[in-house]
Amino acid sequence: IPSLKREMRNLSEECNLEPVTVSMAYVYFEKLVLQGKLNKQNRKLCAGACVLLAAKISSDLRKHEVKHLIDKLEERFRFNRRDLIGFEFTVLVALELALYLPENQVLPHYRRLTQQS
């Protein structure tokens, strides 16, 4: 899990996503872990879907920026974009559509990320 989170952070930095976006992706990912939804086969798809959902909800990305992010996710995590887009809905359902997070869940990750930079 730590190595996946590191990959999520590195990819987000390459795509110029804000630290708050990465923090949200971490929270989504951790919620999936706590629910027992992660396994060896889907962990990279989970991580990718969390980054994609966080970017869509917290950034005002244009169509070409979303495409660029999906390209980077596909390249970094080595999965098919069709699988990612299908899995995005699965993650959304697992999170019970609760993409807007309370500040107290996001802030610890945000602080850690900004102190590391």
Side-chain angles (χ1 to χ4, degrees), residues 16-34:
N16 297 319
L17 297 178
E18 296 292 322
V20 71
T21 304
V22 182
S23 303
M24 290 174 70
Y26 282 179
V27 174
Y28 299 157
F29 189 69
E30 289 171 354
K31 285 182 177 202
L32 295 174
V33 169
L34 291 173

Side-chain angles (χ1 to χ4, degrees), residues 8-17 22 113 116-117:
M8 291 164 73
R9 185 188 70 230
N10 292 341
L11 180 126
S12 297
E13 287 172 358
E14 282 179 32
C15 294
N16 297 319
L17 297 178
V22 182
L113 284 168
Q116 287 174 352
S117 313

Side-chain angles (χ1 to χ4, degrees), residues 90-106:
T90 305
V91 169
L92 194 55
V93 169
L95 295 172
E96 298 172 350
L97 306 176
L99 295 183
Y100 287 104
L101 300 167
E103 192 177 285
N104 66 337
Q105 291 180 359
V106 178

Side-chain angles (χ1 to χ4, degrees), residues 23-72:
S23 303
M24 290 174 70
Y26 282 179
V27 174
Y28 299 157
F29 189 69
E30 289 171 354
K31 285 182 177 202
L32 295 174
V33 169
L34 291 173
Q35 291 176 13
K37 303 284 186 196
L38 236 62
N39 60 44
K40 192 159 178 63
Q41 290 77 34
N42 73 6
R43 64 181 180 210
K44 289 182 178 182
L45 275 171
C46 281
C50 289
V51 171
L52 186 57
L53 286 169
K56 286 180 174 181
I57 203 79
S58 73
S59 307
D60 57 342
L61 297 178
R62 289 170 178 71
K63 187 175 182 177
H64 73 277
E65 293 169 321
V66 172
K67 185 183 179 320
H68 175 71
L69 178 59
I70 291 171
D71 290 341
K72 285 286 187 185

